Amino acid sequence: MSSANEILMGTQAGTFKPRTRQRGMFSYKTKKRLVPFLYVAPAAVLFSLLMLFPMITVLRYSLMDGAIMKKNAVFVGLQNYVTIFSDPVFWQSVGQTLYFTVMSVIFHLLIGLAFALLLNTQRIDPTLRSILRVLFILPWLFTAVIIAIIWRLLLDPNGVVNSILIALHIVDFKVEWFSSTKTALHALTFANIWAGYPLYMVSLLAGLQGIPKELYEAAGIDGANEVQKFRYITIPQLMPIIISIALLDFIWTMQVFPLVWMTTGGGPIHSTEVLSTYTYKLAFSSYEFSLASASAICILIMSMSVTYFYIKHQKAR
Amino acid sequence: MAKRSFNKSALPTVLTYLGLAVGLVFAGFPILWMFFTSLKSNTEIFALPPRLLPDQFTSVAYLSIFNDPVKVRFFINSYLVAGVVTLLTLLIAILTAYGFSRYSFRFKNTLNVFIISTQTVPPITLLIPYFGMVVAFGIFDTYFALVLTYMVFTLPYAILLMTGYLNTLPKELDEAVLVDGGSSWTALWRVIVPLSVPGIVATAVYTFLLAWNEFLFALTLTKSMDMRTVPIGIELLMGQHAFEWNEMMAMSVLGSLPLLVLYLIAQRYFLAGMTAGSVKS
């Protein structure tokens, strides 16, 4: 408990020091300048305790041998990183994570944009439009675990998808979607595409409704056709939203865990292993917390490098 | 339907409806399949040829969940944890958002960037030190461990959404209270909070959704059946009886219900709040 207190006290002191040191005593003016810090203090303390401190801890673990498991773990420098980088499964996981992420982001964007455009046309009845909008958002409201078991049921070798495909003569045997090394990663990516497009759809729909009508009217007067209007007005106007959402989606999809864990668990024979399942197994199946920390730091660095572009993009707007 | 000239606008309209129909099947079919599977008896799940509607509607799967205290406990745990997380998150987020939206102070920008980047820290990176911390503090396998760690990923969104909302309220509102001799604290709770109900509702729904759906921390930081939440309960059910599909689908329907209800109630606020948060941050 003492260490917890130290952390709390430490961060609190850190937050307030510059103010108190300058003034010495709590004059009226100082009190007034302290007010905003009091409002943000609870969040600052919580983030220091549960964000800064753990990040330092995981970095420290990654440089030690036998973290958590050994009483007196020693520093071994970058040894854990060397071990991780010489593991072919790690690199396989990196490749599969990138494939899963890139495909998901591309199809989320295409499907989300298509649905947003369909819902935005004036050709359909407004009531029907608002009903459809709710229905199209539905996949987004399901938790990853439930998405996983829905697709395990649908893609079961005896399931409905195989029955339909066989009836249509697209395949001629019962495909083991999640248990064949050839199809598992694609099946998983498909399930994730199904679950993730609504965020794009909602954001792009809001974006489409925000494009000034005058732009289209002016282009119409200049003789632009529908394709040109789409190419030179719609897409450029939506670009800032597309970039924001795609970067966020990229970061989140890279960190996928429950969907993979509940469908394939990373198998068969590592064919759907992604960085998060690889790391989780190192930590909680093999109890190699130091190696797991090194791998976790790699995921963090990948996420943070994309985050850098995200924040830069947000600031530029 | 408005009048339309025959050739020119009939084709795009047909294509639009066709696209919407394809979209509806894509989005809706898996969900319908889940729902009707939960109403089938287990022998009917893989009937050939496959049928969407059960031959015999039965509530046997739901009854077996309601009659099993272990499974009911999963739901109680989920409601409790998500509820407490939502309340605490809202409280801290409102305070922080007020600080951000009404004052300028040193480190404000640093803190802001820190909070935005917190959104993108991988949960798996935090999990390993959390596991060490939770064990060291003696709160492994408790509600407290879940509530505390959930706040880390609910707070950034809540703060961004609330700050965005408070920025839309004019500062003159607070100044009126201050001129009358009130403090900023009074202004916040008496004037600003009552005016922020739409923003608070959107934030609450989104926070509840995040907490209800959490999987990784619940999987690792709890151990006994008494502490497990719904997503983990479904995972365990899957491991135990891999073939009781109707019961798993019933669990899934019940596990999605609060989110569907909340979403339908708060839809208006929610979409506006969500897009404001994700698009503008």
Side-chain angles (χ1 to χ4, degrees):
Chain A
M1 225 43 221
S2 71
S3 58
N5 279 332
E6 273 166 34
I7 299 156
L8 277 164
M9 299 313 288
T11 48
Q12 242 158 359
T15 317
F16 289 108
K17 227 176 243 163
R19 301 284 122 206
T20 47
R21 206 190 278 153
Q22 279 168 9
R23 290 282 158 180
M25 267 194 293
F26 279 47
S27 64
Y28 173 73
K29 217 173 170 186
T30 312
K31 261 190 198 162
K32 222 179 155 189
R33 291 174 66 176
L34 263 173
V35 167
F37 288 99
L38 290 176
Y39 280 115
V40 300
V45 170
L46 204 77
F47 278 123
S48 312
L49 174 66
L50 291 170
M51 187 57 71
L52 273 187
F53 176 71
M55 299 261 243
I56 296 164
T57 308
V58 71
L59 186 65
R60 216 164 45 91
Y61 283 172
S62 78
L63 301 171
M64 296 198 310
D65 179 44
I68 298 185
M69 298 310 283
K70 277 191 205 162
K71 267 248 152 60
N72 29 12
V74 287
F75 275 86
V76 291
L78 297 174
Q79 189 55 51
N80 292 316
Y81 292 90
V82 174
T83 313
I84 292 281
F85 290 155
S86 53
D87 181 0
V89 180
F90 173 79
W91 294 109
Q92 194 187 344
S93 308
V94 172
Q96 283 159 359
T97 307
L98 287 177
Y99 171 84
F100 178 84
T101 307
V102 169
M103 293 303 271
S104 295
V105 170
I106 291 174
F107 281 97
H108 283 162
L109 174 60
L110 291 179
I111 296 173
L113 181 60
F115 285 0
L117 289 169
L118 284 172
L119 288 175
N120 195 46
T121 53
Q122 301 306 312
R123 294 193 185 89
I124 53 171
D125 179 64
T127 323
L128 180 67
R129 179 178 21 223
S130 35
I131 294 171
L132 284 176
R133 197 178 69 168
V134 172
L135 291 176
F136 283 3
I137 284 170
L138 283 181
W140 192 41
L141 292 176
F142 289 86
T143 169
V145 173
I146 294 174
I147 292 156
I149 75 164
I150 291 178
W151 286 99
R152 272 182 72 163
L153 174 66
L154 293 170
L155 295 177
D156 189 277
N158 296 314
V160 59
V161 170
N162 271 345
S163 300
I164 293 172
L165 292 179
I166 289 172
L168 296 172
H169 299 288
I170 293 172
V171 296
D172 50 9
F173 63 100
K174 288 176 176 172
V175 184
E176 308 233 355
W177 294 103
F178 282 127
S179 24
S180 147
T181 51
K182 283 199 189 106
T183 52
L185 186 60
H186 305 294
L188 195 63
T189 311
F190 184 84
N192 190 58
I193 290 168
W194 178 78
Y197 72 84
L199 176 62
Y200 288 76
M201 186 188 83
V202 171
S203 311
L204 292 175
L205 195 55
L208 282 172
Q209 284 159 358
I211 302 176
K213 296 255 180 310
E214 293 77 24
L215 288 178
Y216 291 107
E217 283 160 13
I221 292 166
D222 291 345
N225 60 31
E226 290 303 314
V227 178
Q228 285 169 325
K229 283 181 193 167
F230 180 73
R231 167 75 183 76
Y232 295 105
I233 299 173
T234 313
I235 291 295
Q237 289 281 321
L238 291 180
M239 217 23 134
I241 302 177
I242 292 178
I243 294 174
S244 293
I245 303 281
L247 285 175
L248 270 184
D249 188 34
F250 194 93
I251 297 165
W252 291 330
T253 310
M254 214 159 53
Q255 305 166 357
V256 61
F257 179 80
L259 187 69
V260 184
W261 194 251
M262 289 290 295
T263 46
T264 62
I269 351 174
H270 300 301
S271 63
T272 56
E273 206 76 80
V274 289
L275 279 169
S276 56
T277 55
Y278 177 79
T279 309
Y280 188 85
K281 285 177 185 171
L282 273 181
F284 297 98
S285 303
S286 323
Y287 302 111
E288 295 280 3
F289 287 101
S290 290
L291 291 179
S293 299
S295 170
I297 290 287
C298 295
I299 307 178
L300 179 69
I301 291 171
M302 287 169 72
S303 292
M304 282 296 131
S305 36
V306 185
T307 306
Y308 171 76
F309 289 107
Y310 174 69
I311 290 179
K312 232 174 110 176
H313 175 70
Q314 296 297 71
K315 286 211 163 158
R317 291 174 66 189
Chain B
M1 290 287 111
K3 297 180 260 177
R4 51 177 188 242
S5 73
F6 208 74
N7 286 333
K8 251 197 146 187
S9 65
L11 185 65
T13 307
V14 169
L15 286 179
T16 303
Y17 276 96
L18 197 68
L20 289 169
V22 170
L24 197 57
V25 172
F26 179 71
F29 177 76
I31 297 166
L32 281 181
W33 197 267
M34 166 183 84
F35 178 68
F36 286 116
T37 300
S38 77
L39 296 170
K40 288 176 183 173
S41 68
N42 214 29
T43 48
E44 230 192 288
I45 307 281
F46 292 120
L48 277 173
R51 280 179 297 267
L52 178 61
L53 296 177
D55 284 343
Q56 192 96 53
F57 282 87
T58 166
S59 57
V60 63
Y62 290 91
L63 287 177
S64 99
I65 290 171
F66 291 133
N67 289 327
D68 185 343
V70 175
K71 284 167 198 153
V72 173
R73 180 71 186 248
F74 296 151
F75 284 92
I76 296 175
N77 288 343
S78 270
Y79 278 107
L80 198 71
V81 171
V84 172
V85 168
T86 306
L87 285 180
L88 289 177
T89 301
L90 277 182
L91 181 68
I92 298 182
I94 288 171
L95 293 177
T96 315
Y98 189 71
F100 271 137
S101 123
R102 292 312 197 246
Y103 298 94
S104 58
F105 51 92
R106 259 177 91 185
F107 310 120
K108 179 174 165 177
N109 203 30
T110 318
L111 197 59
N112 197 20
V113 170
F114 182 61
I115 289 173
I116 294 181
S117 40
T118 303
Q119 282 181 295
T120 60
V121 171
I124 188 87
T125 307
L126 294 171
L127 180 69
I128 298 164
Y130 281 177
F131 180 72
M133 283 164 79
V134 158
V135 171
F137 294 166
I139 54 170
F140 181 72
D141 202 23
T142 61
Y143 291 130
F144 190 57
L146 294 186
V147 170
L148 204 59
T149 51
Y150 284 14
M151 304 272 290
V152 173
F153 60 88
T154 55
L155 257 183
Y157 297 98
I159 291 173
L160 292 175
L161 286 173
M162 282 312 301
T163 308
Y165 197 86
L166 293 193
N167 281 340
T168 64
L169 301 176
K171 278 193 175 184
E172 286 74 23
L173 290 170
D174 313 45
E175 278 155 18
V177 176
L178 297 178
V179 165
D180 289 348
S183 63
S184 64
W185 186 256
T186 327
L188 170 61
W189 294 107
R190 291 286 169 81
V191 180
I192 301 299
V193 166
L195 285 173
S196 310
V197 170
I200 293 174
V201 171
T203 311
V205 170
Y206 196 59
T207 305
F208 191 91
L209 187 144
L210 284 178
W212 183 272
N213 286 345
E214 205 287 327
F215 181 78
L216 186 60
F217 294 163
L219 178 69
T220 319
L221 303 180
T222 63
K223 197 172 183 212
S224 65
M225 283 302 220
D226 285 352
M227 284 296 137
R228 295 301 204 179
T229 55
V230 172
I232 312 300
I234 295 175
E235 199 240 3
L236 295 172
L237 198 65
M238 192 131 185
Q240 281 167 4
H241 347 254
F243 299 108
E244 297 203 21
W245 283 107
N246 58 350
E247 210 175 298
M248 283 191 286
M249 291 301 148
M251 243 347 225
S252 304
V253 171
L254 293 173
S256 313
L257 211 58
L259 302 185
L260 293 180
V261 170
L262 278 179
Y263 175 76
L264 288 178
I265 293 172
Q267 214 214 114
R268 235 168 352 126
Y269 308 129
F270 187 59
L271 288 183
M274 248 326 281
T275 45
S278 60
V279 178
K280 271 187 274 169
S281 286

